[in-house]
């Protein structure tokens, strides 16, 4: 506590006039007081509190109409872009898909250096939700990057030279890193992903000087006979069997926040492995023994040692992929006449939570979207569940809201202290969860979730598909965390929209699925400015100042979980969403112009005739759902990010199909061999299933062309 007070005083002297051109390395003082340095953006959420609020106000309600493109930089990775840039001393640093790093002059866009960690292409099969990266951390004169294949890399900030790298995961398993590291007092903190594939989650701290591991905090119990700390011994009492071969899940793949005064690090824990609790904790009675701690929890620990302090579980016994890895925001506010130090989160399960961040005490929780898995939260902070949606107990399919993408996914929120509002990039989308009988894990390939992912595939009926599509909604919600209600809402045409930035100019910035980048009035939600980004924007914006001018930057590029794992026809609705990966940087009076957008033209559906038996096609459907849908979309209705298999030339030739699926001919592109999980007969059945689906959709398109689709 005392050392942080001294650091705070010294940092105020270092920050100075906030010109954006102060020299020096990033240290504890500068990070603790990042909120006073309005010119720079030196940590992932701008401050340890992760509010994503900047007091810069040159761009404001009155001037935003004059905001124009200052410069842009094209990226060489046409995949999902999710990173927040860092800006320090007039230089901008950003990561892109495949864990690449680029440095630019923040005022002019002049390229300074780049770094490619050479992540093997076959790593792409280990990730559920695109080969994305969310950003960097800084300490001293170093930048820190987590790579998709599980390395932590330290780069020289001036040159991009590798200073050290550390493998942080067992690379023989389906671990990955997509989140941004954080640094606290010389300790680099990073988690990992992979719960869908069967791993055991943890967060760990590494020495910023040499990468040596300092401590590791596991989020779920280990195997029998393992010597475990007290917090894991208590967790083991909430599992009816050990985590075993499947690992248990609970990966820490994104959110973190830090309170220097309390010296507490907060992080969110992910879903169970498998999702279906019936296979993780068979016979759980729902009275605590099946809670499966610390899945779907917010956990507070000491960053120096990794010592457990408290936890709050948002979804006990999670079975729907309701992670609590979503953005965590810290703030101080008056609630019920009392000043409270709070932690706020809108996790996947659809409730907005306000907790006391000193103790973990539940203060309040209300739905921020429509949901049906629970009817509310009781006075103890435990959800009041709808028993019909407890599919792990009923063994019956159920349509559950929200689905596995949640009511809010990874996209960062923002908090405006002047308005006392949290801005949530929310959406509504349900899913049919169908338990898979006699399910067995496959630790080599494919989704290990315990459900038939293909059970909810949509039929080749365009009218029905349009009806379903109309129920999937995206929105920007301005949420009052004290009243636990929305103050205003902006409806978006698409569901998968960008993260948020709030500013002292009374603005909220957000990109959208419909390829725009917008500024809204923070108080009313009125749209004040819009820019045609030519691509879906899912990354969060940030802002900085150089040479007395305010800049607003956002990394554009369509991709991520919904873009590759959802039905491509439902995503597209009126038109396909293209990927044009670019860094866009704006300032008042900016006059740069993007090149003209090229037309998007999909390869026509022209499959061979479907001649396989119904039994073969059904076998192919099951295998496709488990092993292919995670990248190539449900029902083989692909989108624009990864190949649409209905349009693949390999459908014509079973030998070429086997060269790809069995032999791994395209492994460098991420399409690895599945020979250890699927027989050649099963691979051929998948081909026949895709052929059947392609013919069905070709016929549907022909009906549309002839005007025969019924309007519903």
């Amino acid at each position: 506590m005392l050392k942080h007070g001294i650091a705070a005083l010294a940092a105020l002297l270092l920050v100075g006039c906030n010109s954006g051109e102060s020299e020096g390395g990033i240290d504890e003082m500068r990070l603790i007081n990042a909120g006073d340095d309005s010119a720079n953006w030196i940590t992932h959420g701008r401050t340890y509190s992760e509010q994503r609020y900047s007091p810069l106000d040159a761009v404001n309600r009155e001037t935003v109409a004059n905001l124009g493109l200052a410069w842009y930089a094209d990226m060489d990775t046409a995949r999902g872009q999710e990173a927040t840039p860092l800006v320090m001393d007039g230089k901008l640093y950003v990561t892109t898909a495949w864990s690449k790093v680029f440095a630019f002059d923040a005022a002019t866009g002049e390229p300074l250096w780049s770094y490619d960690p050479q992540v093997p292409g076959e790593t792409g099969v280990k990730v559920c939700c695109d080969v994305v990266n969310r950003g960097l951390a800084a300490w001293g004169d170093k930048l820190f990057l987590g790579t998709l294949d599980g390395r932590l890399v330290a780069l020289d900030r001036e040159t991009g030279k590798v200073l050290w790298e550390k493998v942080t995961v067992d690379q023989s398993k389906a671990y990955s890193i997509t989140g941004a590291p954080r640094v606290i007092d010389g300790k680099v903190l990073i988690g990992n992903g992979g719960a869908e594939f069967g791993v055991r989650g943890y967060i760990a701290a590494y020495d910023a000087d040499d990468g040596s591991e300092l401590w590791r905090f596991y989020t779920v119990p280990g195997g029998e006979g393992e010597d475990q700390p007290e917090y894991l011994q208590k967790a083991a009492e909430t599992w009816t069997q050990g985590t075993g071969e499947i690992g248990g899940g609970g990966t820490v793949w994104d959110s973190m926040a830090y309170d220097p005064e309390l010296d507490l690090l907060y992080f969110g824990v992910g879903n169970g492995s498998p999702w279906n609790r019936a296979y993780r904790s068979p016979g759980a009675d729902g009275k605590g023994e099946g809670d499966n701690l610390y899945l779907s929890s917010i956990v507070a620990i000491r960053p120096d040692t990794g010592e457990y302090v408290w936890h709050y579980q948002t979804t006990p016994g999670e079975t729907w992929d309701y992670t609590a890895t979503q953005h965590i925001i810290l703030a101080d506010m008056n609630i019920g006449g009392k000043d409270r130090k709070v932690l706020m989160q809108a996790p996947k399960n659809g409730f907005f939570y306000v907790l006391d961040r000193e103790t973990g005490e539940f203060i309040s929780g209300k739905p921020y979207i429509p949901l049906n898995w629970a009817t509310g939260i009781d006075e103890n902070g435990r959800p009041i569940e709808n028993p019909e949606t407890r599919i792990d107990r009923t063994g019956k399919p159920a349509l559950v809201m929200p689905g596995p993408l949640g009511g809010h996914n990874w996209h960062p929120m923002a908090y405006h202290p002047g308005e006392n509002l949290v801005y949530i990039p929310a959406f509504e989308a349900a899913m049919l969860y169908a338990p898979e009988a006699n399910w067995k894990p496959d630790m080599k390939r494919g989704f290990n979730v315990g459900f038939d992912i293909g059970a909810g595939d949509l039929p080749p009926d365009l009218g029905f598909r349009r009806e379903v599509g109309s129920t999937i909604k995206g929105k920007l919600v301005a949420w009052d965390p004290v009243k636990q209600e929305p103050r205003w809402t902006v409806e978006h045409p698409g569901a998968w929209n960008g993260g948020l930035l709030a500013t002292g100019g009374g603005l909220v910035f957000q990109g959208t699925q419909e390829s725009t980048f917008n500024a809204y009035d923070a108080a009313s939600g009125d749209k004040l400015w819009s820019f045609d980004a030519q691509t879906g924007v899912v990354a969060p914006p940030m802002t900085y100042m150089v040479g007395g001018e305010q800049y607003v930057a956002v990394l554009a590029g369509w991709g991520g979980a919904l873009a590759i794992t959802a039905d491509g026809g439902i995503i597209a609705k009126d038109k396909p969403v293209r990927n044009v990966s670019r860094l866009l940087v704006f300032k008042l009076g900016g006059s740069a112009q993007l090149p003209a957008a090229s037309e998007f033209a999909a390869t026509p559906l022209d499959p061979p005739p479907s001649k396989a038996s119904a039994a073969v096609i059904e076998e192919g459907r099951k295998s496709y759902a488990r092993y292919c849908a995670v990248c190539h979309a449900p029902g083989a209705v692909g989108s624009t990010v990864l190949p649409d298999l209905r349009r693949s030339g390999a459908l014509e030739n079973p030998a070429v199909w086997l060269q790809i699926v069995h032999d791994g001919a395209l492994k460098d592109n991420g399409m690895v061999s599945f020979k250890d999980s699927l027989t050649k007969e099963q691979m051929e059945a998948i081909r026949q299933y895709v052929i059947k689906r392609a013919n069905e959709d070709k016929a549907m398109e022909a009906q549309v062309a002839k005007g025969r689709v019924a309007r519903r």
Side-chain angles (χ1 to χ4, degrees):
M1 297 276 287
L2 179 60
K3 69 174 182 178
H4 296 313
I6 295 172
L9 178 62
L12 289 174
L13 300 175
L14 286 177
V15 169
C17 64
N18 294 337
S19 68
E21 297 169 356
S22 62
E23 294 294 332
I26 303 301
D27 58 16
E28 184 178 15
M29 294 180 289
R30 209 167 162 190
L31 282 168
I32 289 173
N33 290 279
D36 297 315
D37 181 5
S38 59
N40 295 296
W41 191 292
I42 65 174
T43 187
H44 188 59
R46 201 182 86 86
T47 62
Y48 276 144
S49 63
E50 299 279 328
Q51 293 183 3
R52 290 185 173 263
Y53 168 81
S54 169
L56 291 178
D57 59 4
V59 181
N60 55 50
R61 294 182 178 97
E62 288 70 40
T63 63
V64 70
N66 298 320
L67 195 64
L69 189 65
W71 58 270
Y72 70 90
D74 286 319
M75 300 300 160
D76 62 352
T77 47
R79 297 289 293 268
Q81 306 294 346
E82 299 186 355
T84 302
L86 299 184
V87 170
M88 287 162 279
D89 310 323
K91 297 174 183 177
L92 183 150
Y93 309 91
V94 67
T95 63
T96 70
W98 290 110
S99 315
K100 298 181 180 183
V101 186
F102 296 86
F104 300 93
D105 183 294
T108 67
E110 176 191 356
L112 301 176
W113 56 259
S114 63
Y115 166 69
D116 182 354
Q118 299 290 322
V119 173
E122 56 261 38
T123 308
V125 79
K126 294 184 176 183
V127 292
C128 71
C129 309
D130 211 348
V131 293
V132 298
N133 188 281
R134 298 191 188 92
L136 299 155
W139 180 261
D141 294 320
K142 298 184 183 74
L143 295 172
F144 302 94
L145 162 76
T147 67
L148 196 69
D149 58 347
R151 289 172 283 154
L152 182 62
V153 182
L155 302 175
D156 183 287
R157 179 152 55 98
E158 196 63 29
T159 65
K161 177 184 176 182
V162 175
L163 300 176
W164 56 256
E165 68 174 59
K166 171 81 171 182
V167 175
T168 70
V169 300
D170 181 345
Q171 291 180 317
S172 70
K173 298 180 180 179
Y175 280 105
S176 59
I177 296 178
T178 57
R182 311 294 200 279
V183 183
I184 299 173
D185 195 17
K187 298 172 183 64
V188 188
L189 307 159
I190 193 70
N192 43 64
E196 278 73 27
F197 302 94
V199 301
R200 183 188 182 196
Y202 57 89
I203 182 173
Y206 300 86
D207 189 293
D209 288 334
D210 59 14
S212 57
E213 185 173 321
L214 302 174
W215 54 256
R216 180 177 294 200
F217 184 101
Y218 282 103
T219 59
V220 296
E224 261 187 67
E226 181 177 320
D227 186 21
Q228 301 188 113
E230 183 180 0
Y231 81 93
L232 283 181
Q233 294 175 26
K234 290 182 177 179
E237 296 171 5
T238 68
W239 296 68
T240 62
Q241 64 181 22
T243 53
E245 178 190 23
I246 198 63
T251 47
V252 182
W253 53 263
D254 197 29
S255 61
M256 286 183 255
Y258 175 58
D259 185 330
E261 291 185 6
L262 299 175
D263 194 30
L264 289 177
L265 169 69
Y266 311 93
F267 59 86
V269 183
N271 54 280
S273 181
W275 295 354
N276 190 342
R277 188 182 62 168
Y279 293 109
R280 290 198 316 267
S281 280
D285 64 9
K287 297 177 181 177
E289 70 172 7
D291 284 358
N292 290 177
L293 290 174
Y294 295 90
L295 300 179
S296 302
S297 297
I298 298 164
V299 180
I301 65 174
R302 299 291 179 199
D304 281 349
T305 61
E307 174 194 355
Y308 166 89
V309 178
W310 61 255
H311 79 276
Y312 173 81
Q313 190 170 40
T314 59
T315 311
E318 96 83 18
T319 203
W320 307 277
D321 189 21
Y322 287 170
T323 63
T325 48
Q326 283 54 59
H327 185 191
I328 292 170
I329 292 176
L330 310 182
D332 298 343
M333 62 185 62
N334 189 281
I335 300 176
K338 182 180 179 182
D339 291 335
R340 304 292 296 265
K341 295 180 181 295
V342 304
L343 176 154
M344 298 178 288
Q345 189 190 50
K348 278 190 186 179
N349 72 13
F351 286 97
F352 187 93
Y353 293 89
V354 180
L355 307 180
D356 185 303
R357 70 174 183 267
E358 293 187 72
T359 64
E361 174 195 355
F362 172 76
I363 297 175
S364 64
K366 294 290 182 181
Y368 62 90
I369 60 157
L371 52 86
N372 72 347
W373 74 276
T375 58
I377 301 176
D378 67 23
E379 61 184 11
N380 297 313
R382 192 175 181 91
I384 305 166
E385 295 177 353
N386 173 4
E388 293 181 3
T389 64
R390 257 294 169 197
I391 43 195
D392 57 311
R393 290 202 200 103
T394 67
K396 299 177 182 178
L399 185 67
V400 185
M401 172 76 91
L405 292 181
H408 167 225
N409 206 274
W410 71 270
H411 315 79
M413 307 182 296
Y415 171 68
H416 195 300
E419 300 292 339
N420 199 32
L421 290 175
V422 176
Y423 304 95
I424 312 171
F427 54 94
E428 300 175 19
M431 187 177 110
L432 180 69
Y433 291 81
E436 185 174 332
N438 303 313
W439 174 85
K440 300 292 183 186
D442 181 346
M443 302 305 293
K444 296 183 176 67
R445 292 281 182 261
F447 249 28
N448 281 307
V449 296
F451 291 118
D452 180 356
I453 297 296
D457 290 354
L458 300 178
D461 178 326
L462 189 58
F464 182 82
R465 296 174 70 86
R466 285 174 175 168
E467 276 193 1
V468 172
S470 69
T471 69
I472 301 174
K473 303 173 183 178
K475 56 184 66 176
L476 166 56
V477 180
W479 190 263
D480 185 325
V482 177
K483 295 182 178 179
Q484 283 283 22
E485 63 184 25
R487 186 177 301 175
W488 53 258
T489 300
V490 173
E491 301 283 345
H492 292 313
W496 199 244
N497 302 294
L500 292 154
L501 166 70
T503 74
L507 300 174
V508 174
F509 288 91
Q510 184 186 30
T512 69
Q513 177 177 318
E514 63 262 32
S515 301
T516 61
F517 181 51
N518 304 321
Y520 303 91
D521 188 306
S524 67
D526 294 336
K527 186 190 290 187
L528 303 178
W529 174 84
S530 187
F531 178 83
D532 181 2
Q534 301 182 352
T535 183
V537 181
V538 295
M542 52 82 71
T543 187
Y544 59 92
M545 183 179 288
V546 177
E549 289 190 289
Q550 182 182 352
Y551 295 80
V552 177
V554 67
L555 189 60
W558 175 244
L562 181 131
I564 66 172
T565 65
D567 184 299
I570 296 298
I571 297 171
K573 292 188 178 178
D574 297 326
K575 62 178 181 179
V577 187
R578 305 170 66 243
N579 180 295
V580 183
S581 291
R582 286 188 179 120
L583 178 65
L584 305 173
V585 182
F586 304 86
K587 70 175 183 177
L588 295 175
S591 58
Q593 298 287 323
L594 294 179
S598 59
E599 291 294 321
F600 179 84
T603 304
L605 285 172
D606 188 25
S610 178
K611 298 179 179 180
S613 68
V616 168
I617 290 170
E618 174 59 14
E619 174 68 20
R621 182 199 71 79
K622 290 180 179 179
S623 294
Y624 178 93
R626 180 159 187 183
Y627 293 98
C628 311
V630 63
C631 287
H632 297 286
V637 186
S639 67
T640 57
V641 179
L642 290 175
D644 182 340
L645 297 185
R646 298 171 303 163
R647 306 174 195 276
S648 170
L651 285 183
E652 295 274 2
N653 191 320
V656 172
W657 184 268
L658 284 179
Q659 285 176 3
I660 297 170
V661 184
H662 183 272
D663 300 338
L666 299 179
K667 70 174 184 177
D668 290 341
N669 296 335
M671 180 59 212
V672 300
S673 167
F674 281 77
K675 65 182 180 182
D676 291 334
S677 297
L678 295 166
T679 65
K680 289 184 178 180
E681 290 74 20
Q682 288 173 314
M683 295 175 185
E684 172 62 14
I686 292 173
R687 186 178 77 93
Q688 293 297 339
Y689 166 70
V690 177
I691 289 172
K692 172 76 159 35
R693 287 292 301 111
N695 278 280
E696 290 174 336
D697 290 347
K698 182 179 181 180
M700 183 176 68
E701 288 185 357
Q703 285 186 325
V704 173
K706 294 178 181 178
R708 293 179 182 174
V709 175
R711 299 198 175 273
R712 303 190 182 193

